């Protein structure tokens, strides 16, 4: 594939540039490690520091959070399309809640759920549900009328109309929402893990980054970011790419 | 990012980072009374308030900061990791206590798997807990799995609302918590008794070597401020109460509490560094003397 | 025989600005079962608006009754074939576009569904395009699939908005014939919009001409004897009558 | 307006529920202040604590960040539509960069910019540019072909095609992107202010929240959140609402 | 006279699957300036595909030359009026839809623009709808605005895909007449797709019939004397010839 080749060239140039920057000592090396150092940290991380366990733990939280977030975002957005009253309320809620930073909600979450996974998942859900709902609702609102009218004409109402017409017709927006949500989930999780960590019930990659940062192990920080990036690329190109190919692209809805 | 700073109109801009809270009071005084500007003619001071020692360390390493104040443990970590900095002065000691809402926990030996909130790993609270664990339980890492990292205020509310049974924190939270009926687990204050270094000031090798006058101006200003607080509690309280958002009376109480000690002399830094390295909290060689951690002007241990 | 469709005092205004006008005003139409009504009228006069109101897609003043009951919104009893090319669900294949309405209306059996889809696709001359997606079809092909989809659910009333406009003469004639057959066999009532006077005369047993401003200018029964072609007795007169009532004058076509 | 009435009822019920929860002491009052306390803190904040200055400072950062973010997101997304090579690279970059939490970039930002406003703005820009680009690119990709072909037919190419066809044709997605971006900007800013601190040029509302929290002044925290929410609602309904009314709604592109 | 448009060995395959076939194969068409070519053919045979290739919207094998130069992609010299109803920019008013292409092609003067917009809107019978947005128009009105937009830029070649399909008889006849006038006055070359044999005979000085599989089945010059109507000499024969060559048989219409 041509795309993949271009991307490879891009990554290679980036790495080269990084290494040159390092070599010429443009930045203090303690803050700007070499590619070699980062690779070492990467390997060491997995071999010695249990980076895999941290990663898997974070992934498990993300998947739980995504699952809950997706289900809720769909449920509420669907309801909002079915009921005008609920639309007014939910649209308002999305606008308001999306503004509240997770850190500010942490104390309340601790109060409600205590100190455990649930609190972290709550913050992850909070990170993704609003932007995802925004994309879904706006997507639903821009579905071509003729599809909705066809659907209603053939007897679809309520949730069936949403499921069988709104959803596929705005699938491109929904996918955008999922992509944004997926990224938000990572960022939300890492942030919360970095300020609210626990070593007992399991610790995630955010905690790992935090530890490395505390110990001024910059290469270790970048190695952990590398893990996140690799996972992200896999999800983006394997999962989202495949979904796109078999939906919106096949349907002629996007280029 | 360090290039554009330095001389403007022949003036050197010295950039100093502190954090928020009572322990940084001397720096507040330096700032309010413009002590550095008084000491050196050709200096402009840029103050920033950050709230993590890590960010300050990173800024020091990047060359953006000349000085930065932080807890002893992160300071030791920074020096040990090879950041071109050393301790330029002690700032304060603060009482820290392991508080609990569980009347059954009276001693460190009563702790099994209960969670302990403290501000973060690698913090002075974390290291003191480890020191106590080593001393009383025989293993520095015995309580590592009990730790939950939470900011002081979050930890306090969690403790008060019962979300968590213990918190290792410092003044003024310990006072507020005692007011709410929380009790203390003794051994922590024993292992790191009042008066031992809590917050220190790091300076870069660069400013120490290239700009000795400025370096001296800053450390002396700090010394003056410490003197000022120790001798003028009333005025200091007045100056500081607004920052801390409490009444002057409360502030005065805090300043007068036996554990609140402002001093330019370090206490226990070397032992803490030794402990951290020996017990594997950081990697490196055990320092032989304080000189490896602090500049010449610093007295203490 | 009772009326299956009653349009009473229908007034429609899109209310899209201070100067918005009534597109339709106090329109009344009664249709008995199995009538084939052709609606003619100049472009922009309100034909689409009329059947959209009947279908229940618009807000309006007045009443639309089906079998004596006032309608509220769209329903499977009145199936619309839109003027729009892109009315098929782009996320479904041609075949699934036809099967889907059947499925949600009770036909669950897979074989039965395939049989029906095949039957109606053959009817519109599209056997072989089952697996294509709508974006792979030509304009006329899309129109034909839409017609097949509409007919397949066997509605009581079918509302067709220039369904044959993009079809070539032969396909059009075949479909006209099939439509008439289905109408008789399934006892459907048809409202059919067309610009083709000849088509209207061939198909409709009732003919309505709307004026530019959306009034009913002519509402007559087609009394010509089938099979209707230019040689049929009375063809010329009827043609002239319709043509004259269509706004403007015609000296050609 | 009916919508506004529903929203008012909703807000009133929410406040009532809050007050009841408070009254019955379901949560410790130290964490769950009364509506009255919050209102007091709100007023006091403005009268005594200079909350206005904090707010204005944050707003100035947000607007700078938004401006840069919007310009960059548009510039890059447009380039991506014009050049396939750049598309491969930028799409890849968006997927990767969107995953990296701002906190993790902080060390690099400090290294590049030092501790000052620029670092904060950098993090804000990082918060918004990727999700916004995602929405814009995905929106551009789903523009109906016939508009693009018309545009090309009439001689539009390159940036003109983007400006005059892609942009208005995907304006609904672009607006979604702006809304998500706006929310992200707030959340990004508050987080960075809370976990990072102030710069020499000023302190923002995130720092205000941090101070209030440090002093366990929960009512003060909520008062500051209230400020954020009020600003958010104003922007949402006044700015975005008006834009929507005069664009996509007028054009019949959304319901 | 030199050829303004040359289609050489045009082969088009949408390549949308393993079993995709050539829609057009080795098609050759030469057109001198000011020719009016009408293309007839059954639904789905490749008419739209053909003019999309000429317009430069598709990848294809072969060469399309305009005034002796090979085309690369779309250009203002070949303006397309699409089959699609929704080809107007929904974010522009009717008037602005017409003005916009003029503006980007050099007409900067505001009054001039308004005058042109007004002129062409009157031409298609839509004076008064200037300020409407496309979504407020009927199907036929949209089609007419698209035609006005296309004509207003005075292209060398205009490619029209069933432009009059949704128009009533009178409007259609008027537009046919206007189109012929413009063609003569502006020296335009026209490729015009229609399903209406009579329309093709009335308008085209050259007539092409495509077979179901996209081959040129008939390519003749229209030698009838204008004004062309059913009474014109030779009308019947030509009609029969075209009709017979359209796939299938016609005994009606
Ligand atoms: N985008 C596409 N992808 C794949 N196949 C296509 C595409 N567009 C058209 N086709 C196929 O090409 C053939 C010719 O289509 P085209 O649109 O050119 O027909 P047409 O002659 O214009 O028909 P009509 O009169 O119905 O508009 C059809 O079989 C159609 O299925
Ligand atoms: N959604 C709408 N909003 C506002 N006005 C509309 C809307 N739809 C149609 N109109 C107006 O209503 C009138 C009638 O439109 P309608 O679509 O019913 O015409 P029509 O008879 O079907 O015409 P055509 O034969 O061209 O399809 C037109 O003047 C049109 O401008
Ligand atoms: Mg119509
Ligand atoms: Mg076609």
């Amino acid at each position: 594939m041509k795309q993949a080749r271009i991307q490879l060239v891009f990554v290679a140039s980036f790495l080269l540039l990084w290494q040159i920057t390092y070599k010429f000592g443009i930045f203090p090396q303690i803050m700007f490690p070499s590619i070699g150092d980062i690779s070492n940290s990467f390997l060491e991380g997995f071999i010695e520091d249990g980076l895999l366990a941290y990663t898997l733990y974070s992934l498990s939280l993300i998947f739980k959070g995504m699952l809950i977030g997706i289900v809720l975002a769909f449920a509420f957005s669907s309801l909002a399309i079915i009921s005008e009253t609920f639309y007014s309320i939910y649209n308002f809620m999305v606008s308001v809640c999306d503004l509240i930073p997770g850190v500010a909600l942490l104390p309340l979450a601790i109060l409600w759920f205590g100190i455990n996974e649930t609190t972290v998942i709550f913050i992850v859900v909070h990170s993704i549900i609003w932007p995802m709902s925004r994309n879904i609702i706006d997507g639903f609102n821009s579905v071509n009328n003729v599809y909705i009218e066809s659907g209603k004409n053939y007897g679809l109402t309520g949730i069936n109309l949403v499921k069988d017409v709104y959803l596929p017709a705005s699938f491109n927006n929904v996918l955008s929402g999922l992509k944004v949500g997926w990224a938000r989930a990572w960022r939300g999780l890492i942030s919360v893990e970095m300020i609210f960590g626990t070593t007992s019930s399991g610790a995630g990659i955010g905690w790992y980054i935090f530890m490395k940062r505390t110990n001024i192990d910059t290469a270790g920080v970048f190695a952990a970011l590398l893990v996140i990036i690799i996972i992200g690329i896999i999800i983006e190109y394997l999962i989202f790419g495949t979904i796109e190919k078999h939906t919106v692209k096949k349907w002629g809805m996007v280029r | 990012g360090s290039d554009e700073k330095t001389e403007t109109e022949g003036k050197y801009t010295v950039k100093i980072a502190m954090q928020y809270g009572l322990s940084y009071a001397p720096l507040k005084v330096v700032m309010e009374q413009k002590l550095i500007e008084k000491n050196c003619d050709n200096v402009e001071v840029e103050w920033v308030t950050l709230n993590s020692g890590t960010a300050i360390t990173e800024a020091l390493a990047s060359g953006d900061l000349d000085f930065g104040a932080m807890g002893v443990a992160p300071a030791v970590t920074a020096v040990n990791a090879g950041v071109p900095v050393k301790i330029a002065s002690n700032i304060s000691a603060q009482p820290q206590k392991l508080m609990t809402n569980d009347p059954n926990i009276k001693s460190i030996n009563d702790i099994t798997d209960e969670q302990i909130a403290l501000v973060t790993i690698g913090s002075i609270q974390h290291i003191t807990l480890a020191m106590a664990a080593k001393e009383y339980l025989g293993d520095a890492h015995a309580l590592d799995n009990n730790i939950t990292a939470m900011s002081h205020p979050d930890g306090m509310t969690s403790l008060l609302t019962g979300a968590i049974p213990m918190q290792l924190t410092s003044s003024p939270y310990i006072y507020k918590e005692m007011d709410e009926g929380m009790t203390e687990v003794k051994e922590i204050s024993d292992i790191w008794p009042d008066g031992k270094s809590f917050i220190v000031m790091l300076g870069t090798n660069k400013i120490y070597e290239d700009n000795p006058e400025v370096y001296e101006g800053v450390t002396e200003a700090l010394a003056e401020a410490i003197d000022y607080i120790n001798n003028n509690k009333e005025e200091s309280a007045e100056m500081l109460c607004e920052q801390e958002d409490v009444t002057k009376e409360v502030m005065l109480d805090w300043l007068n509490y036996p554990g609140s000690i402002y001093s330019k002399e370090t206490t226990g830094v070397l032992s803490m560094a030794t402990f951290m390295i020996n017990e594997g909290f950081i990697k490196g060689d055990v320092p032989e003397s304080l000189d490896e951690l602090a500049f010449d002007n610093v007295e203490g241990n | 025989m009772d009326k299956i469709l009653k349009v009473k005092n229908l007034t429609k205004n899109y209310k899209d600005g201070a100067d918005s006008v009534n597109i339709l005003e106090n329109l009344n139409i009664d249709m008995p079962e199995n009538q084939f009504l052709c609606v003619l009228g100049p472009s922009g006069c309100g034909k689409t608006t009329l059947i959209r109101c009947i279908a229940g897609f618009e807000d309006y003043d007045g009443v639309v009754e089906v079998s004596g009951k006032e309608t509220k919104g769209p329903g499977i009893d009145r199936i619309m074939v839109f003027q729009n090319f892109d009315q098929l669900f782009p996320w479904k294949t041609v075949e699934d576009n036809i099967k889907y309405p059947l499925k949600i209306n009770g036909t669950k059996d897979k074989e039965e569904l395939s049989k029906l889809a095949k039957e109606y696709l053959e009817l519109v001359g599209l056997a072989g395009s089952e697996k294509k997606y709508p974006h792979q079809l030509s304009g006329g092909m899309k129109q034909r699939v839409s017609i097949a989809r509409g007919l397949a659910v066997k509605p009581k009333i079918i509302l067709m908005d220039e369904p044959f406009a993009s079809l070539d003469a032969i396909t059009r004639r075949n479909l006209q014939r099939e439509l008439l057959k289905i109408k008789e066999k399934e006892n459907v009532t048809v409202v059919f919009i067309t610009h083709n006077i000849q088509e209207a005369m061939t198909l409709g047993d009732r003919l309505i001409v709307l004026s530019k401003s959306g009034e009913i200018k002519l509402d007559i029964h087609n009394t010509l004897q089938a099979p209707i072609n230019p040689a049929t007795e009375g063809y010329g007169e009827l043609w002239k009558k319709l043509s004259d009532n269509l706004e403007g004058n015609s000296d050609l076509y």
Side-chain angles (χ1 to χ4, degrees), chain A, chain B, chain C:
Chain A
M1 269 164 52
K2 203 183 143 212
Q3 276 224 344
R5 221 170 47 231
I6 295 169
Q7 285 157 358
L8 222 67
V9 171
F10 172 71
V11 170
S13 325
F14 177 81
L15 293 181
L16 193 71
L17 200 75
W18 182 290
Q19 196 65 1
I20 290 171
T21 311
Y22 169 82
K23 270 274 185 270
F24 283 86
I26 296 170
F27 297 121
Q29 301 196 343
I30 192 164
M31 298 286 298
F32 201 92
S34 71
I35 303 287
D37 290 342
I38 297 175
S39 316
N40 279 342
S41 282
F42 186 84
L43 293 177
E44 245 173 51
F46 280 104
I47 297 166
E48 288 172 24
D49 287 355
L51 186 46
L52 187 66
Y54 289 99
T55 309
L56 291 179
Y57 183 69
S58 284
L59 276 178
S60 86
L61 290 186
I62 292 220
F63 283 123
K64 283 180 207 164
M66 282 288 280
L67 200 73
I68 298 173
I70 292 174
V71 168
L72 290 183
F74 272 106
F76 290 141
S77 307
S78 304
L79 257 178
I81 286 300
I82 296 171
S83 148
E84 255 183 74
T85 306
F86 190 74
Y87 177 84
S88 307
I89 295 174
Y90 193 60
N91 196 35
F92 180 81
M93 272 179 70
V94 171
S95 304
V96 167
C97 297
D98 201 10
L99 292 169
I100 302 173
V103 233
L105 277 189
L106 202 54
L108 278 184
I110 292 174
L111 181 64
W112 291 328
F113 308 114
I115 294 172
N116 49 41
E117 230 181 75
T118 316
T119 296
V120 176
I121 292 178
F122 173 81
I123 300 291
V124 172
V125 170
H126 170 71
S127 305
I128 58 179
I129 185 169
W130 314 118
M132 245 166 60
S133 297
R134 172 61 58 221
N135 274 302
I136 297 174
I137 290 183
D138 286 0
F140 281 1
N141 269 336
S142 66
V143 168
N144 196 331
N145 250 327
V146 77
Y147 302 140
I148 298 167
E149 287 169 356
S150 285
K152 286 187 180 163
N153 203 171
Y154 289 111
L156 287 177
T157 50
I159 192 65
N160 286 323
L161 189 64
V162 173
K163 179 169 66 68
D164 286 358
V165 178
Y166 279 104
L167 183 60
S170 64
F171 206 68
N172 188 47
N173 292 58
V174 169
L175 272 179
S176 274
L178 284 179
K179 285 186 210 164
V180 170
W182 155 249
R184 292 298 322 131
W186 264 114
R187 287 172 73 158
L189 178 71
I190 307 275
S191 307
V192 72
E193 280 179 351
M194 282 178 82
I195 52 171
F196 169 72
T198 156
T199 46
S200 49
S201 69
I205 200 163
W207 182 251
Y208 185 89
I209 293 178
F210 179 77
M211 284 196 308
K212 292 289 168 191
R213 217 183 136 200
T214 306
N215 291 326
I216 323 189
D217 177 358
T218 316
V221 173
F222 285 119
L225 288 182
L226 195 60
V227 174
I228 297 176
I229 290 173
I230 291 173
I231 295 173
I233 294 175
I234 292 174
I235 298 283
E236 165 77 19
Y237 288 86
L238 244 65
I239 310 276
F240 288 125
T242 311
I243 294 180
E244 260 173 13
K245 208 176 115 199
H246 287 96
T247 57
V248 284
K249 289 218 168 120
K250 190 166 79 181
W251 305 337
M253 283 162 80
V254 302
R255 266 166 302 281
Chain B
S2 59
D3 300 333
E4 71 267 27
K5 105 177 152 47
T6 66
E7 274 109 306
T8 42
E9 299 158 28
K11 279 198 169 184
Y12 184 82
T13 306
V14 60
K15 195 164 177 183
I16 305 174
M18 62 173 143
Q19 300 181 55
Y20 185 71
L22 193 55
S23 325
Y24 298 86
L27 286 168
K28 285 276 177 217
V29 174
V30 171
M31 186 170 101
E32 292 285 326
Q33 302 195 337
K34 298 199 180 304
L35 296 177
I36 299 173
E37 289 88 336
K38 272 182 207 151
N39 283 349
C40 320
D41 299 332
N42 272 332
V43 158
E44 235 172 66
V45 189
E46 198 181 329
W47 293 95
V48 293
T49 309
L50 300 189
N51 49 37
S52 89
T54 313
I56 295 179
T57 305
E58 284 159 358
L60 285 165
S62 310
D64 185 56
L65 285 176
D66 300 300
F67 293 95
M70 64 182 76
V72 178
V76 167
T77 305
V79 178
N80 181 70
V83 180
V85 291
K86 278 184 182 171
I87 296 170
S89 173
N90 190 51
I91 294 179
S92 64
Q94 288 293 337
Q96 41 177 351
K97 296 182 190 303
L98 179 57
M99 306 299 295
T100 179
N101 56 19
D102 183 349
N104 294 324
I105 304 178
K106 296 199 173 66
S107 129
I108 197 168
N109 292 299
D110 298 333
I111 302 173
T112 50
D113 56 358
E114 292 89 352
Q115 282 175 305
I116 302 170
L118 52 77
V119 69
T120 122
I121 47 152
S123 65
I124 181 162
Q125 288 84 3
H126 176 203
I127 302 303
T128 33
L129 183 69
M131 286 171 145
K134 170 91 178 166
E135 177 76 18
Y136 301 103
L137 307 174
D139 174 10
H141 296 277
L143 295 175
D144 274 4
N145 281 338
N146 298 53
I147 294 171
T148 293
M150 258 195 257
S151 67
H152 293 294
D154 287 344
M156 170 165 149
T157 39
S158 301
L159 183 73
L160 296 185
T161 58
I164 203 159
M166 281 173 285
Q167 184 195 17
L168 208 177
T169 183
S170 57
S171 119
Y173 300 97
I174 47 175
Y175 308 135
K176 293 188 182 174
E177 290 173 9
M178 285 191 287
D179 288 347
E180 298 285 332
M182 304 294 115
T183 54
E184 184 190 348
V185 181
K186 262 317 265 168
E187 290 87 347
I188 296 299
S189 10
D190 291 347
I191 207 79
W192 197 253
D194 291 355
K196 285 218 178 190
S197 285
F198 186 67
I199 302 296
V200 296
M201 176 83 134
L202 288 178
T204 61
N205 294 351
K206 187 161 171 284
I207 191 131
Y208 179 76
E209 283 154 16
D210 300 352
N211 264 312
E213 317 87 66
V214 178
Y215 175 84
E216 228 165 86
V218 172
T219 45
E220 260 159 35
L222 193 51
E224 284 166 38
I226 289 169
D227 279 346
Y228 179 82
I229 293 180
N230 289 334
N231 299 324
N232 306 283
K233 292 247 158 91
E234 289 265 345
E235 291 87 337
S236 307
E238 185 133 19
M239 192 184 296
L240 296 167
C241 65
E242 193 145 313
Q243 317 269 348
E244 293 287 327
D245 209 10
V246 292
T247 61
K248 191 188 148 197
E249 288 67 38
V250 173
M251 180 54 74
L252 195 58
D253 271 359
W254 290 356
L255 287 178
N256 280 328
Y257 193 82
S260 294
I261 294 164
Y262 297 94
S263 158
K264 63 176 184 174
E265 238 169 76
T266 58
T267 324
V269 172
L270 190 61
S271 66
M272 176 163 287
T274 309
F275 176 82
M276 286 167 76
I277 293 167
N278 280 340
E279 300 301 331
F281 290 97
I282 50 179
K283 288 175 201 145
D285 300 324
V286 177
E288 283 168 9
S289 73
L290 188 63
D291 292 345
E292 290 180 31
L293 299 168
F295 292 121
D296 298 345
N297 63 303
V298 179
E299 289 165 19
N301 57 65
Chain C
M1 197 169 52
D2 235 13
K3 306 294 180 188
I4 186 166
L5 180 71
K6 277 193 190 172
V7 176
K8 296 186 193 163
N9 291 320
L10 182 71
T11 298
K12 170 68 192 171
N13 188 320
Y14 280 104
K15 304 205 176 84
D16 57 345
D19 56 346
S20 72
V21 294
N22 286 350
I23 305 296
L24 304 172
E25 215 174 285
N26 280 321
L27 222 72
N28 285 287
I29 300 173
D30 281 5
M31 284 180 73
E33 218 173 61
N34 206 18
Q35 191 171 60
F36 198 123
L37 168 65
C38 282
V39 181
L40 289 157
S43 169
C45 72
K47 304 178 293 301
T48 299
T49 305
L50 170 64
I51 64 167
R52 283 180 58 81
C53 288
I54 296 175
F57 299 138
E58 299 282 349
D59 295 328
Y60 51 80
D61 293 323
V63 175
V64 173
E65 279 179 8
V66 170
S67 310
K69 265 179 55 191
E70 184 172 350
T71 58
K72 304 223 176 310
I76 187 80
D77 49 359
R78 285 148 293 144
I79 286 297
M80 175 92 155
V81 178
F82 295 85
Q83 192 174 6
N84 202 315
F85 287 117
D86 294 316
Q87 63 191 291
L88 297 169
F89 296 136
W91 55 91
K92 285 190 186 297
T93 58
V94 162
E95 183 180 50
D96 287 341
N97 259 290
I98 295 175
K99 285 181 186 171
Y100 176 71
L102 298 170
K103 217 176 333 189
I104 56 176
N105 284 292
T107 317
K108 300 287 177 205
D109 184 53
K110 286 228 168 122
E111 268 174 46
E112 171 83 5
L113 283 171
S114 294
K115 214 190 99 239
L116 280 167
K118 198 157 171 277
E119 182 184 325
Y120 281 91
L121 278 176
E122 264 166 19
L123 181 86
V124 296
L126 282 174
S129 296
E130 283 85 356
K131 301 292 175 207
K132 284 195 176 161
Y133 281 91
H135 75 103
Q136 299 173 308
L137 303 182
S138 78
M141 289 160 87
K142 286 182 199 167
Q143 252 187 348
R144 285 182 277 157
V145 179
S146 309
I147 295 165
R149 179 172 74 167
L151 292 174
V153 295
K154 307 203 168 88
K156 277 203 285 187
I157 302 174
I158 190 159
L159 309 164
M160 304 180 92
D161 200 348
E162 308 184 30
F164 302 153
S166 297
L167 300 181
D168 60 282
I170 290 112
T171 313
R172 180 188 273 239
R173 208 202 45 236
N174 289 339
L175 282 181
Q176 287 172 350
R177 224 182 265 146
E178 295 297 336
L179 182 60
L180 281 177
K181 264 198 231 154
I182 288 175
K183 181 215 150 203
E184 289 309 332
K185 207 174 83 193
E186 312 279 356
N187 200 27
V188 212
T189 309
V190 186
V191 182
F192 188 99
I193 296 179
T194 179
H195 283 306
N196 191 316
I197 301 178
Q198 186 175 16
E199 180 168 79
M201 285 164 61
T202 314
L203 292 174
D205 27 57
R206 177 171 171 195
L207 304 165
I208 283 185
V209 179
L210 292 183
S211 75
K212 246 185 195 135
S213 53
E215 286 137 26
I216 296 182
K217 223 175 156 191
L218 192 74
D219 182 353
I220 52 171
H221 284 268
N222 185 355
T223 50
L224 300 187
Q225 273 323 102
I228 298 166
N229 64 46
T232 311
E233 208 193 306
Y235 185 95
E237 283 125 77
L238 185 56
W239 193 92
K240 191 159 180 340
K241 190 166 181 181
L242 290 170
S243 186
D244 284 349
N245 276 286
L246 270 167
E247 228 90 295
N249 283 306
S250 71
D251 45 14
L252 201 144
Y253 197 89

